[in-house]
Amino acid sequence: MPGGAISILGLRKDYDGVTAVDGIDLEIGAGEFFTLLGPSGCGKTTTLRMLGGFEQPTGGQILLDGVDVAPKPPHKRPVNTVFQSYALFPHLDVQKNVAYGLRWRKDLDGATRDARVAKALELVRLADYAQRRPHQLSGGQQQRVALARALVLEPSVLLLDEPLGALDAKLRHSLRAELSALQREVGITFVFVTHDQEEALEMSTRLAVMERGRVVQLGTPQEVYREPSTEFVADFLGVANLLDVACTPGDAGTRTVQYGEFTLQAQVPAGAGPAARRAVIRPECVEVQEAGLTGSNRIPGMVDRQVFLGSTTQLAVRLPHGDVLQSLVTNTGRGASPASGEPVTVHLPPESLRVLAASESSEAAAAPQP
Ligand code: ATP
C-alpha cells in the first residue's frame, strides 16, 4: 500500500467556453494531508475528479508514484473517493455497504474480504455497528461508513470532496480531529477539497489556495495564514486588516512603507513588485495600547466598537484616515479592554505587518506606458 506521491503537471480542463482548471502544477508527497482550498467555482472539484479519473484533462499530466494515470479508468487507479453525499445503500447493513467497495476484487477470497471489512470498520470506530442499516446511524456515523467503504480497498490515495459538508457545525468540528487522526494512522495520501478555511488550516500538512482555476499560494497552514501573498489569500483565510501603503523600492525583508503621514516598518516579500500598494495585518497581531504612546509603528486611534466574545474581545479602532482596524484581545482577567469612544494607540508590530503582492491588473496599471 505505501506510495501515493502525486505529480500534477500543467493540468487544465476546459468545458465549452469555461476554463475550470487553468494550468496547475503541484507536487503532493506520499502520506500528506493535502488540501485544495478556495471559493465556489475555483476548480477544486474538477481537479479532484481528474485525479480520480472521472474527468479527462484537456491538457497536462497526472503522475501517481511516477506513472501516468491517463490510460486508467477510475476503478483501475490506486485512488478512491469519498463524496459529500455518501450515498450508502439503505437496504444493506454497514458491513455489506463496506464490503460492496470490494466488488471489483475478484482475486480476494471470502476470509480476506471479511478481514479487510473488519479492519476498515475498526479504523473508523464502527466495529460495533456492523449489523445496523444506514437509517439507524447518525450523519457522522454514515460518513464514517463511507470512509470505511473507500479505505477497504487499501488505496494509496484517498480523495475527499467536502466530506463534512452535509454535517452540522458541531459534528464537523469533532470529525475534523477524527479525520486527521485516521490519516496519520493509515499513512496514505489524503487530498481534501473544501471551501472552509478553518477546516483546511486545522487538518492539512500543506494546502493550495485556488482562485479562478489556478493555484495562487501553496504552503503549510502557518505559512499561508501568516504570510499570505495576495489580498485574495489574506481575505479568504480569515479576517484581514488591509491598509493602503506606498512601498519604497528595495530588497525583500523589513522595509519602510508610508501609510498616509505615518512611516511604518513592514515585511516586504520578494514577489511584492513595484505596484504593491496594500499591507495586511491579522486582528490578533494588532496591539491596542493606552492613548498618547509614540514610537515605531504606533498610530493614534479611537475605539469604535467593543464586542465581548468570552475568551476574547474584538475591538474596532478607527485610525486618523478613517480606516477601521480589527483587533482581537485575549481576555486574561487582568485589566479591562478600552470602551467605545476611548482614545487609544494602535501598535502594528513590524514582523506582523506584511506588504502584499499586487494583483495582475494593478501590476499592469503601474507598468510604464510605452
Ligand atoms: P464548488 O465548491 O462550488 O464545488 P469548485 O471549486 O469545486 O466549486 P468546480 O466544480 O471545479 O469548482 O467548477 C469550476 C468551474 O467549472 C465552474 O465555473 C463550473 O461552473 C465549471 N464546470 C464544472 N463542471 C462543469 C461541466 N460539467 N460543464 C461546464 N462547466 C463546468
Side-chain angles (χ1 to χ4, degrees):
M1 194 187 9
I6 303 168
S7 299
I8 297 177
L9 308 163
L11 189 68
R12 61 178 299 124
K13 179 71 186 177
D14 298 311
Y15 295 106
D16 301 328
V18 180
T19 300
V21 176
D22 192 8
I24 285 182
D25 295 292
L26 280 177
E27 293 289 335
I28 302 174
E32 275 204 77
F33 194 127
F34 191 90
T35 299
L36 299 172
L37 171 71
S40 181
C42 72
K44 313 178 290 290
T45 297
T46 306
T47 304
L48 206 72
R49 288 178 63 78
M50 289 192 276
L51 284 169
F54 303 108
E55 293 285 352
Q56 286 308 308
T58 312
Q61 255 189 332
I62 298 169
L63 309 181
L64 223 138
D65 293 321
V67 178
D68 188 345
V69 295
K72 295 190 179 178
H75 65 278
K76 294 264 172 71
R77 298 184 183 198
V79 167
N80 224 317
T81 309
V82 179
F83 298 99
Q84 184 184 119
S85 58
Y86 17 86
L88 303 177
F89 294 112
H91 59 289
L92 298 181
D93 65 20
V94 166
Q95 212 253 353
K96 292 198 174 72
N97 262 288
V98 175
Y100 189 82
L102 292 170
R103 66 196 180 283
W104 301 104
R105 298 296 307 270
K106 306 291 182 228
D107 55 318
L108 301 178
D109 61 37
T112 311
R113 278 168 192 257
D114 290 349
R116 281 237 202 149
V117 171
K119 187 176 151 204
L121 288 178
E122 199 70 51
L123 274 171
V124 299
R125 299 193 290 104
L126 282 180
D128 295 340
Y129 295 78
Q131 312 312 324
R132 293 224 194 157
R133 297 271 182 89
H135 74 271
Q136 296 169 310
L137 300 174
S138 70
Q141 288 165 339
Q142 290 183 41
Q143 187 52 289
R144 300 215 300 257
V145 177
L147 271 169
R149 191 174 52 184
L151 289 170
V152 78
L153 288 157
E154 302 187 347
S156 314
V157 176
L158 192 65
L159 307 176
L160 301 113
D161 193 357
E162 307 240 10
L164 310 180
L167 307 171
D168 67 53
K170 203 163 166 210
L171 206 50
R172 287 176 79 117
H173 266 275
S174 64
L175 276 180
R176 282 182 203 167
E178 277 188 30
L179 257 186
S180 303
L182 177 68
Q183 190 271 334
R184 284 194 297 274
E185 196 176 340
V186 293
I188 64 173
T189 312
F190 274 28
V191 184
F192 185 84
V193 156
T194 185
H195 61 266
D196 183 320
Q197 46 103 3
E198 267 189 29
E199 237 169 63
L201 292 176
E202 181 176 332
M203 295 194 288
S204 323
T205 47
R206 284 191 311 146
L207 55 98
V209 184
M210 292 184 67
E211 182 189 15
R212 282 184 264 139
R214 295 188 183 178
V215 171
V216 285
Q217 194 167 355
L218 176 70
T220 63
Q222 291 85 348
E223 283 165 353
V224 177
Y225 180 80
R226 291 197 188 132
E227 300 167 19
S229 57
T230 65
E231 196 170 321
F232 171 81
V233 177
D235 210 36
F236 196 73
L237 276 110
V239 181
N241 290 302
L242 294 164
L243 300 176
D244 288 328
V245 294
C247 201
T248 51
D251 298 332
T254 308
R255 257 176 37 206
T256 299
V257 297
Q258 203 62 33
Y259 170 58
E261 73 268 35
F262 301 100
T263 303
L264 305 173
Q265 297 292 308
Q267 303 307 308
V268 183
R277 294 218 169 79
R278 301 209 104 187
V280 64
I281 184 163
R282 297 285 182 196
E284 62 274 21
C285 300
V286 174
E287 294 169 8
V288 177
Q289 303 173 333
E290 64 187 270
L293 291 181
T294 53
S296 153
N297 280 41
R298 286 187 170 79
I299 301 172
M302 172 85 77
V303 176
D304 231 22
R305 200 162 33 88
Q306 189 220 65
V307 183
F308 178 71
L309 298 170
S311 62
T312 55
T313 293
Q314 199 179 55
L315 296 172
V317 182
R318 187 170 296 275
L319 301 184
H321 310 115
D323 283 341
V324 175
L325 286 190
Q326 302 291 333
S327 168
L328 205 58
V329 183
T330 304
N331 292 325
T332 58
R334 293 189 297 272
S337 300
S340 297
E342 215 174 290
V344 290
T345 301
V346 168
H347 180 224
L348 309 175
E351 63 279 10
S352 307
L353 182 64
R354 273 188 82 78
V355 173
L356 296 165
S359 65
E360 281 169 18
S361 51
S362 55
E363 288 278 3
Q369 298 302 313

